[in-house]
Coordinates of all heavy atoms in Angstrom, one line a residue:
G1 N 28.9 -63.7 22.2 CA 28.9 -64.4 21.0 C 28.8 -63.4 19.8 O 28.7 -62.2 19.9
S2 N 29.0 -64.0 18.7 CA 28.9 -63.2 17.4 C 27.5 -63.0 17.0 O 26.6 -63.9 17.2 CB 29.7 -64.0 16.3 OG 31.1 -64.1 16.6
R3 N 27.3 -61.9 16.4 CA 26.0 -61.6 15.8 C 26.1 -61.2 14.3 O 27.2 -60.9 13.9 CB 25.3 -60.4 16.5 CG 25.0 -60.6 18.0 CD 23.9 -61.5 18.2 NE 23.6 -61.7 19.6 CZ 22.4 -61.7 20.0 NH1 21.3 -61.6 19.2 NH2 22.2 -61.9 21.3
F4 N 25.0 -61.3 13.6 CA 25.0 -61.0 12.2 C 23.9 -59.9 12.0 O 22.8 -60.1 12.5 CB 24.7 -62.3 11.4 CG 24.6 -62.0 10.0 CD1 25.7 -61.9 9.2 CD2 23.3 -61.9 9.4 CE1 25.6 -61.8 7.8 CE2 23.2 -61.8 8.0 CZ 24.4 -61.7 7.2
L5 N 24.2 -58.9 11.3 CA 23.2 -57.8 11.0 C 23.1 -57.7 9.5 O 24.1 -57.6 8.8 CB 23.7 -56.5 11.6 CG 22.9 -55.2 11.2 CD1 21.5 -55.3 11.8 CD2 23.6 -54.0 11.7
L6 N 21.9 -57.8 9.0 CA 21.6 -57.6 7.6 C 20.6 -56.5 7.5 O 19.5 -56.5 8.1 CB 21.0 -58.9 7.0 CG 20.4 -58.8 5.6 CD1 21.6 -58.6 4.6 CD2 19.6 -60.0 5.3
I7 N 21.0 -55.5 6.7 CA 20.0 -54.3 6.5 C 20.0 -54.0 5.0 O 20.9 -54.3 4.3 CB 20.4 -53.1 7.3 CG1 21.8 -52.5 6.8 CG2 20.5 -53.3 8.8 CD1 22.0 -51.1 7.2
T8 N 18.9 -53.4 4.7 CA 18.7 -52.8 3.4 C 18.4 -51.3 3.7 O 17.5 -51.1 4.5 CB 17.6 -53.5 2.6 OG1 17.9 -54.8 2.4 CG2 17.5 -52.8 1.2
T9 N 19.1 -50.4 3.0 CA 18.8 -49.0 3.2 C 18.2 -48.4 1.9 O 18.5 -48.9 0.8 CB 20.0 -48.2 3.6 OG1 21.0 -48.4 2.5 CG2 20.6 -48.6 4.9
A10 N 17.3 -47.5 2.1 CA 16.8 -46.7 1.0 C 17.1 -45.2 1.4 O 16.7 -44.8 2.5 CB 15.3 -46.9 0.8
I11 N 17.8 -44.5 0.5 CA 18.2 -43.1 0.8 C 17.3 -42.2 -0.1 O 17.3 -42.3 -1.3 CB 19.6 -42.9 0.5 CG1 20.5 -43.8 1.4 CG2 20.0 -41.4 0.7 CD1 21.9 -43.8 1.1
I12 N 16.5 -41.4 0.6 CA 15.7 -40.4 -0.1 C 16.5 -39.1 -0.3 O 17.0 -38.6 0.7 CB 14.4 -40.1 0.8 CG1 13.7 -41.4 1.2 CG2 13.5 -39.2 0.0 CD1 13.2 -42.3 0.1
V13 N 16.5 -38.7 -1.5 CA 17.3 -37.5 -1.9 C 16.4 -36.4 -2.5 O 15.3 -36.7 -2.8 CB 18.5 -37.9 -2.8 CG1 19.5 -38.8 -2.2 CG2 18.0 -38.5 -4.1
K14 N 17.0 -35.2 -2.7 CA 16.2 -34.1 -3.0 C 15.7 -34.1 -4.5 O 14.7 -33.6 -4.8 CB 16.9 -32.8 -2.7 CG 18.1 -32.5 -3.6 CD 18.8 -31.2 -3.2 CE 20.0 -30.9 -4.1 NZ 20.5 -29.6 -3.9
D15 N 16.5 -34.7 -5.4 CA 16.1 -34.7 -6.8 C 16.9 -35.7 -7.6 O 17.8 -36.4 -7.0 CB 16.3 -33.3 -7.4 CG 17.7 -32.7 -7.3 OD1 18.7 -33.5 -7.2 OD2 17.9 -31.5 -7.3
E16 N 16.7 -35.8 -8.9 CA 17.3 -36.8 -9.8 C 18.9 -36.6 -9.8 O 19.6 -37.6 -9.8 CB 16.8 -36.7 -11.2 CG 17.2 -37.8 -12.1 CD 16.6 -39.1 -11.7 OE1 15.5 -39.2 -11.1 OE2 17.3 -40.2 -11.9
A17 N 19.3 -35.3 -9.8 CA 20.8 -35.1 -9.8 C 21.4 -35.6 -8.6 O 22.5 -36.2 -8.6 CB 21.0 -33.6 -10.0
A18 N 20.7 -35.4 -7.4 CA 21.3 -35.9 -6.2 C 21.3 -37.4 -6.2 O 22.2 -38.0 -5.6 CB 20.4 -35.4 -5.0
L19 N 20.3 -38.1 -6.8 CA 20.3 -39.5 -6.8 C 21.5 -40.0 -7.6 O 22.1 -41.0 -7.2 CB 19.0 -40.0 -7.5 CG 18.8 -41.5 -7.7 CD1 18.9 -42.2 -6.4 CD2 17.5 -41.8 -8.5
E20 N 21.8 -39.4 -8.7 CA 23.0 -39.8 -9.5 C 24.3 -39.6 -8.7 O 25.2 -40.4 -8.7 CB 23.1 -39.0 -10.8 CG 22.0 -39.4 -11.8 CD 22.1 -38.7 -13.1 OE1 23.3 -38.3 -13.5 OE2 21.1 -38.5 -13.7
E21 N 24.3 -38.5 -7.9 CA 25.5 -38.2 -7.1 C 25.7 -39.2 -6.0 O 26.8 -39.8 -5.8 CB 25.5 -36.8 -6.5 CG 26.7 -36.4 -5.8 CD 26.7 -35.0 -5.2 OE1 25.7 -34.3 -5.4 OE2 27.7 -34.6 -4.6
V22 N 24.6 -39.5 -5.3 CA 24.7 -40.5 -4.2 C 25.0 -41.9 -4.8 O 25.8 -42.6 -4.3 CB 23.4 -40.5 -3.4 CG1 23.3 -41.7 -2.4 CG2 23.2 -39.2 -2.7
S23 N 24.3 -42.3 -5.9 CA 24.6 -43.6 -6.5 C 26.0 -43.7 -7.0 O 26.6 -44.8 -6.9 CB 23.6 -43.8 -7.7 OG 22.3 -43.8 -7.3
G24 N 26.6 -42.7 -7.5 CA 28.0 -42.7 -7.9 C 29.0 -42.8 -6.9 O 30.2 -43.1 -7.1
R25 N 28.6 -42.6 -5.6 CA 29.5 -42.7 -4.5 C 29.1 -43.8 -3.6 O 29.2 -43.8 -2.3 CB 29.6 -41.4 -3.8 CG 30.3 -40.3 -4.7 CD 30.3 -39.0 -4.1 NE 31.1 -38.9 -2.9 CZ 31.2 -37.9 -2.0 NH1 30.5 -36.8 -2.3 NH2 31.9 -37.9 -1.0
D26 N 28.5 -44.9 -4.1 CA 28.0 -46.0 -3.4 C 28.9 -46.6 -2.4 O 28.5 -46.9 -1.2 CB 27.5 -47.1 -4.4 CG 26.9 -48.3 -3.7 OD1 25.8 -48.1 -3.1 OD2 27.5 -49.4 -3.8
A27 N 30.2 -46.8 -2.7 CA 31.1 -47.4 -1.8 C 31.3 -46.5 -0.6 O 31.4 -47.0 0.6 CB 32.4 -47.7 -2.5
E28 N 31.4 -45.2 -0.8 CA 31.6 -44.3 0.4 C 30.4 -44.3 1.3 O 30.5 -44.3 2.5 CB 31.8 -42.9 -0.1 CG 33.2 -42.6 -0.8 CD 33.2 -41.2 -1.3 OE1 33.6 -40.3 -0.5 OE2 32.9 -41.0 -2.5
V29 N 29.2 -44.4 0.6 CA 27.9 -44.4 1.4 C 27.9 -45.7 2.3 O 27.6 -45.6 3.5 CB 26.7 -44.3 0.5 CG1 25.4 -44.5 1.2 CG2 26.7 -42.9 -0.2
R30 N 28.2 -46.8 1.6 CA 28.1 -48.1 2.4 C 29.2 -48.1 3.5 O 28.9 -48.6 4.6 CB 28.4 -49.2 1.4 CG 27.3 -49.5 0.5 CD 27.7 -50.6 -0.6 NE 26.7 -50.8 -1.5 CZ 25.8 -51.8 -1.5 NH1 25.9 -52.6 -0.5 NH2 24.9 -51.9 -2.5
D31 N 30.3 -47.5 3.2 CA 31.4 -47.5 4.3 C 30.9 -46.6 5.5 O 31.1 -47.0 6.6 CB 32.7 -46.9 3.7 CG 33.8 -46.9 4.7 OD1 34.2 -48.0 5.1 OD2 34.3 -45.8 5.0
R32 N 30.3 -45.5 5.2 CA 29.8 -44.6 6.2 C 28.7 -45.4 7.1 O 28.7 -45.3 8.3 CB 29.2 -43.4 5.6 CG 28.9 -42.2 6.5 CD 30.1 -41.7 7.3 NE 31.1 -41.0 6.5 CZ 31.3 -39.7 6.4 NH1 30.5 -38.9 6.9 NH2 32.3 -39.3 5.7
I33 N 27.9 -46.1 6.4 CA 26.8 -46.8 7.1 C 27.4 -47.9 8.0 O 27.1 -48.1 9.2 CB 25.8 -47.4 6.1 CG1 25.0 -46.3 5.5 CG2 24.9 -48.5 6.8 CD1 24.2 -46.7 4.3
V34 N 28.4 -48.7 7.5 CA 29.0 -49.7 8.2 C 29.8 -49.2 9.4 O 29.7 -49.7 10.5 CB 30.0 -50.5 7.3 CG1 30.9 -51.5 8.1 CG2 29.2 -51.3 6.3
D35 N 30.5 -48.0 9.2 CA 31.2 -47.4 10.4 C 30.2 -47.0 11.5 O 30.5 -47.3 12.6 CB 31.9 -46.1 9.9 CG 33.2 -46.4 9.2 OD1 33.7 -47.6 9.2 OD2 33.8 -45.5 8.6
L36 N 29.1 -46.4 11.1 CA 28.1 -46.0 12.1 C 27.5 -47.2 12.8 O 27.5 -47.2 14.1 CB 27.0 -45.2 11.5 CG 26.1 -44.6 12.5 CD1 25.8 -43.1 12.2 CD2 24.8 -45.3 12.6
L37 N 27.1 -48.2 12.1 CA 26.5 -49.4 12.7 C 27.5 -50.2 13.5 O 27.1 -50.8 14.6 CB 25.8 -50.2 11.6 CG 24.6 -49.6 10.9 CD1 24.1 -50.5 9.8 CD2 23.5 -49.3 11.9
G38 N 28.7 -50.2 13.1 CA 29.7 -51.0 13.8 C 30.0 -50.4 15.2 O 30.5 -51.1 16.1
G39 N 29.7 -49.1 15.4 CA 29.9 -48.5 16.6 C 28.8 -48.6 17.6 O 28.8 -48.1 18.7
K40 N 27.7 -49.3 17.2 CA 26.5 -49.4 18.0 C 26.6 -50.8 18.8 O 27.0 -51.8 18.2 CB 25.2 -49.4 17.2 CG 25.1 -48.1 16.4 CD 24.6 -47.0 17.3 CE 24.4 -45.7 16.5 NZ 24.1 -44.6 17.3
S41 N 26.0 -50.8 20.0 CA 26.0 -52.1 20.7 C 24.8 -52.9 20.2 O 23.9 -52.4 19.6 CB 25.8 -51.8 22.2 OG 24.5 -51.3 22.5
I42 N 24.8 -54.2 20.5 CA 23.7 -55.0 20.1 C 22.4 -54.6 20.8 O 21.3 -54.7 20.2 CB 24.0 -56.5 20.4 CG1 22.9 -57.4 19.8 CG2 24.0 -56.8 21.9 CD1 23.0 -57.4 18.3
E43 N 22.5 -54.0 22.0 CA 21.3 -53.5 22.7 C 20.7 -52.3 21.9 O 19.5 -52.2 21.8 CB 21.6 -53.1 24.1 CG 21.9 -54.3 25.0 CD 23.3 -54.8 24.9 OE1 24.2 -54.1 24.3 OE2 23.5 -56.0 25.2
E44 N 21.6 -51.4 21.4 CA 21.1 -50.2 20.7 C 20.5 -50.7 19.4 O 19.4 -50.2 19.0 CB 22.3 -49.3 20.4 CG 22.8 -48.6 21.6 CD 24.1 -47.8 21.2 OE1 25.1 -48.4 20.9 OE2 24.0 -46.6 21.3
L45 N 21.1 -51.6 18.7 CA 20.6 -52.0 17.4 C 19.3 -52.9 17.5 O 18.4 -52.8 16.7 CB 21.7 -52.9 16.6 CG 22.9 -52.1 16.2 CD1 23.9 -53.1 15.7 CD2 22.6 -51.1 15.2
G46 N 19.2 -53.6 18.6 CA 18.1 -54.5 18.7 C 16.8 -53.9 19.4 O 15.8 -54.5 19.4
D47 N 16.9 -52.6 19.8 CA 15.8 -52.0 20.5 C 15.0 -51.2 19.5 O 15.4 -50.2 18.9 CB 16.4 -51.0 21.5 CG 15.3 -50.3 22.3 OD1 14.1 -50.4 22.0 OD2 15.7 -49.6 23.3
P48 N 13.8 -51.7 19.2 CA 12.9 -51.1 18.2 C 12.6 -49.6 18.5 O 12.4 -48.8 17.6 CB 11.6 -51.9 18.2 CG 12.0 -53.2 18.8 CD 13.1 -52.9 19.7
S49 N 12.6 -49.2 19.8 CA 12.3 -47.9 20.2 C 13.4 -46.9 19.7 O 13.2 -45.7 19.7 CB 12.0 -47.7 21.7 OG 13.2 -48.0 22.4
R50 N 14.6 -47.4 19.4 CA 15.7 -46.6 19.0 C 15.8 -46.5 17.5 O 16.7 -45.8 16.9 CB 17.0 -47.1 19.6 CG 17.0 -47.0 21.1 CD 18.4 -47.4 21.6 NE 18.5 -47.4 23.0 CZ 19.5 -47.6 23.7 NH1 20.7 -47.9 23.1 NH2 19.5 -47.5 25.0
R51 N 14.9 -47.1 16.7 CA 15.1 -47.2 15.3 C 15.0 -45.9 14.6 O 15.7 -45.6 13.7 CB 14.0 -48.2 14.8 CG 14.2 -48.7 13.4 CD 15.4 -49.7 13.2 NE 15.6 -50.7 14.2 CZ 15.1 -51.9 14.3 NH1 14.2 -52.3 13.4 NH2 15.4 -52.7 15.3
E52 N 14.1 -45.0 15.0 CA 14.0 -43.7 14.4 C 15.2 -42.9 14.6 O 15.7 -42.2 13.7 CB 12.7 -43.0 14.9 CG 11.4 -43.5 14.4 CD 11.3 -43.6 12.9 OE1 11.7 -42.6 12.2 OE2 10.9 -44.6 12.4
G53 N 15.8 -43.0 15.8 CA 17.1 -42.3 16.1 C 18.2 -42.8 15.2 O 19.0 -42.1 14.8
L54 N 18.2 -44.1 15.0 CA 19.2 -44.8 14.2 C 19.1 -44.3 12.8 O 20.1 -43.9 12.1 CB 19.1 -46.3 14.3 CG 20.1 -47.1 13.4 CD1 21.5 -46.8 13.9 CD2 19.8 -48.6 13.6
K55 N 17.9 -44.2 12.3 CA 17.7 -43.7 10.9 C 18.1 -42.2 10.8 O 18.7 -41.8 9.8 CB 16.2 -43.8 10.5 CG 15.8 -45.3 10.2 CD 14.5 -45.4 9.6 CE 13.4 -45.5 10.6 NZ 12.1 -45.7 10.0
A56 N 17.9 -41.4 11.8 CA 18.3 -40.0 11.8 C 19.9 -40.0 11.8 O 20.5 -39.1 11.1 CB 17.7 -39.3 13.0
D57 N 20.5 -40.8 12.6 CA 22.0 -40.9 12.7 C 22.5 -41.3 11.3 O 23.5 -40.7 10.9 CB 22.4 -41.9 13.7 CG 22.2 -41.4 15.2 OD1 21.8 -40.2 15.4 OD2 22.3 -42.3 16.1
L58 N 21.9 -42.2 10.7 CA 22.4 -42.7 9.3 C 22.2 -41.5 8.3 O 23.1 -41.3 7.5 CB 21.6 -43.9 8.9 CG 21.9 -45.2 9.6 CD1 20.9 -46.3 9.3 CD2 23.3 -45.7 9.2
A59 N 21.1 -40.8 8.4 CA 20.9 -39.7 7.4 C 21.9 -38.6 7.6 O 22.4 -38.1 6.7 CB 19.5 -39.2 7.6
A60 N 22.2 -38.4 8.9 CA 23.3 -37.3 9.2 C 24.6 -37.8 8.7 O 25.4 -37.0 8.1 CB 23.3 -37.0 10.7
A61 N 25.0 -39.1 8.9 CA 26.3 -39.6 8.6 C 26.4 -39.6 7.0 O 27.5 -39.2 6.5 CB 26.5 -41.0 9.1
V62 N 25.4 -40.1 6.3 CA 25.5 -40.2 4.9 C 25.4 -38.8 4.3 O 26.1 -38.4 3.4 CB 24.4 -41.1 4.3 CG1 24.3 -41.0 2.8 CG2 24.6 -42.5 4.8
G63 N 24.5 -38.0 4.9 CA 24.3 -36.6 4.4 C 25.6 -35.7 4.5 O 25.8 -34.8 3.7
A64 N 26.5 -36.1 5.4 CA 27.7 -35.3 5.6 C 28.7 -35.5 4.4 O 29.6 -34.7 4.2 CB 28.4 -35.8 6.9
L65 N 28.4 -36.5 3.6 CA 29.3 -36.7 2.4 C 28.9 -35.8 1.2 O 29.6 -35.7 0.3 CB 29.1 -38.2 1.9 CG 29.6 -39.3 2.8 CD1 29.2 -40.6 2.3 CD2 31.1 -39.2 3.0
F66 N 27.7 -35.2 1.3 CA 27.2 -34.4 0.2 C 26.8 -33.0 0.6 O 26.7 -32.7 1.8 CB 25.9 -35.1 -0.3 CG 26.2 -36.6 -0.7 CD1 25.9 -37.6 0.1 CD2 26.8 -36.8 -1.9 CE1 26.2 -38.9 -0.2 CE2 27.1 -38.1 -2.3 CZ 26.8 -39.2 -1.4
P67 N 26.5 -32.1 -0.3 CA 26.1 -30.8 0.1 C 24.8 -30.8 0.9 O 24.0 -31.7 0.8 CB 25.8 -30.1 -1.3 CG 26.6 -30.8 -2.3 CD 26.7 -32.3 -1.8
E68 N 24.7 -29.9 1.8 CA 23.5 -29.8 2.7 C 22.2 -29.9 1.9 O 22.0 -29.3 0.9 CB 23.5 -28.5 3.5 CG 22.5 -28.5 4.6 CD 22.7 -27.3 5.6 OE1 23.8 -26.8 5.7 OE2 21.7 -27.0 6.2
G69 N 21.3 -30.7 2.4 CA 20.0 -30.9 1.8 C 19.9 -31.9 0.8 O 18.8 -32.2 0.3
T70 N 21.0 -32.5 0.4 CA 21.0 -33.6 -0.6 C 20.2 -34.8 -0.1 O 19.4 -35.3 -0.8 CB 22.4 -34.0 -1.0 OG1 23.1 -32.8 -1.6 CG2 22.4 -35.1 -2.0
V71 N 20.6 -35.3 1.1 CA 19.9 -36.5 1.7 C 18.8 -36.0 2.6 O 19.0 -35.2 3.5 CB 21.0 -37.3 2.5 CG1 20.3 -38.4 3.2 CG2 22.0 -37.8 1.6
K72 N 17.6 -36.5 2.2 CA 16.4 -36.1 3.0 C 16.1 -37.1 4.1 O 15.8 -36.6 5.3 CB 15.2 -36.0 2.1 CG 15.3 -35.0 1.0 CD 15.3 -33.6 1.6 CE 15.2 -32.5 0.5 NZ 15.3 -31.2 1.1
R73 N 16.2 -38.4 3.9 CA 15.9 -39.4 4.9 C 16.6 -40.7 4.5 O 16.9 -40.9 3.4 CB 14.4 -39.7 4.9 CG 13.5 -38.6 5.4 CD 12.0 -39.0 5.3 NE 11.7 -40.2 6.1 CZ 10.6 -40.9 5.9 NH1 9.7 -40.5 5.1 NH2 10.4 -42.0 6.6
V74 N 16.7 -41.5 5.5 CA 17.2 -42.9 5.3 C 16.1 -43.8 5.8 O 15.7 -43.6 7.0 CB 18.6 -43.2 6.0 CG1 18.9 -44.6 5.9 CG2 19.7 -42.3 5.3
L75 N 15.7 -44.8 5.0 CA 14.7 -45.8 5.4 C 15.4 -47.1 5.6 O 16.5 -47.4 5.0 CB 13.6 -45.9 4.4 CG 12.9 -44.6 4.0 CD1 11.9 -44.9 2.9 CD2 12.2 -44.0 5.2
L76 N 14.9 -48.0 6.5 CA 15.4 -49.3 6.7 C 14.3 -50.3 6.4 O 13.7 -50.9 7.3 CB 15.9 -49.4 8.1 CG 17.1 -48.5 8.5 CD1 17.3 -48.6 10.0 CD2 18.3 -48.8 7.8
P77 N 14.1 -50.6 5.1 CA 13.1 -51.6 4.8 C 13.3 -53.0 5.2 O 12.4 -53.8 5.4 CB 12.9 -51.5 3.3 CG 14.1 -50.8 2.8 CD 14.7 -50.0 3.9
Q78 N 14.6 -53.3 5.5 CA 15.0 -54.7 6.0 C 16.0 -54.5 7.1 O 17.0 -53.8 6.9 CB 15.6 -55.5 4.9 CG 15.9 -56.9 5.3 CD 16.5 -57.8 4.2 OE1 17.1 -57.3 3.2 NE2 16.2 -59.1 4.2
F79 N 15.7 -55.1 8.2 CA 16.6 -55.0 9.4 C 16.5 -56.3 10.2 O 15.5 -56.6 10.8 CB 16.1 -53.8 10.3 CG 17.1 -53.4 11.3 CD1 18.0 -52.3 11.0 CD2 17.2 -54.0 12.5 CE1 18.9 -51.9 12.0 CE2 18.2 -53.6 13.5 CZ 19.0 -52.6 13.2
V80 N 17.6 -57.1 10.1 CA 17.6 -58.4 10.7 C 18.8 -58.6 11.5 O 19.9 -58.4 11.0 CB 17.5 -59.6 9.6 CG1 17.6 -60.9 10.3 CG2 16.3 -59.4 8.7
I81 N 18.6 -59.0 12.8 CA 19.8 -59.3 13.6 C 19.7 -60.8 14.0 O 18.6 -61.2 14.5 CB 19.8 -58.5 14.9 CG1 19.9 -57.0 14.6 CG2 20.9 -58.9 15.8 CD1 19.8 -56.1 15.8
Q82 N 20.7 -61.5 13.8 CA 20.7 -62.9 14.3 C 21.9 -63.2 15.2 O 22.9 -62.6 15.1 CB 20.9 -63.9 13.1 CG 19.7 -63.9 12.2 CD 19.9 -65.0 11.1 OE1 20.9 -65.7 11.0 NE2 18.9 -65.1 10.2

């Protein structure tokens, strides 16, 4: 069956200039996140023990859009699967 995933991300960056750069490329960041999550199975997404790995994968995927060290972490303050 079909599932619905709703997430909110918070991207921790190195400084104010990095925040502006990441914010200015919002569509690209969102696209990268959707691509990564779309490639995961429902089992992978629904397993709480894999959540830290998922956040690391998201940080790497988003971080690849910017100079090294720009993205420090990705947090998932909201994560709902229906």
